[in-house]
Amino acid sequence: WVSWSWTYLLMLWFLLIMFLIWFLRAPLRLHENIDQLGFFMNSLTPKFYVALTGTSSVISGIILVFEWWYFHKNGNSLIEQLALTYVAPFIGGIDLPEKPAQSECKVWR
């Protein structure tokens, strides 16, 4: 039931946004803004794309190193843990099982 309601809500939101864009197309001067966007995109140099790629790679590397450190420290992924804790309840997520208490370990000889 919840997933259907989210689907309908998102469809309604999308239709509302499309209607607003259509209704406000003249006041927003969409045609002129799209022409300016095309001019801007054509004026970007290769140096910009190199800088963008380099910055993205550095950020990805930092995230990878932090994830590796967090996994070795805690035994699970930080991103997975955040997704299960904060995102899953909103989309009808799973119930996390409680960890059983460790019993005393006996060695038989």
Side-chain angles (χ1 to χ4, degrees), residues 53-95:
T53 305
T55 305
S56 173
S57 296
V58 167
I59 292 172
S60 296
I62 291 170
I63 291 171
L64 179 68
V65 168
F66 183 75
E67 272 289 321
W68 174 83
W69 170 78
Y70 190 87
F71 182 78
H72 280 281
K73 181 181 175 198
N74 298 316
N76 59 354
S77 167
L78 174 67
I79 295 173
E80 181 182 3
Q81 187 66 33
L82 290 174
L84 289 175
T85 305
Y86 296 108
V87 178
F90 290 111
I91 57 174
I94 58 171
D95 293 329

Side-chain angles (χ1 to χ4, degrees), residues 19-66:
F19 175 75
L20 284 174
I21 289 173
W22 178 80
F23 185 73
L24 297 172
R25 69 187 184 280
L28 294 177
R29 298 183 305 238
L30 289 179
H31 185 66
E32 294 173 19
N33 290 336
I34 289 173
D35 289 341
Q36 289 177 354
L37 179 66
F39 176 74
F40 174 72
M41 293 301 287
N42 287 332
S43 67
L44 294 176
T45 63
K47 188 188 297 185
F48 168 79
Y49 291 108
V50 170
L52 182 67
T53 305
T55 305
S56 173
S57 296
V58 167
I59 292 172
S60 296
I62 291 170
I63 291 171
L64 179 68
V65 168
F66 183 75

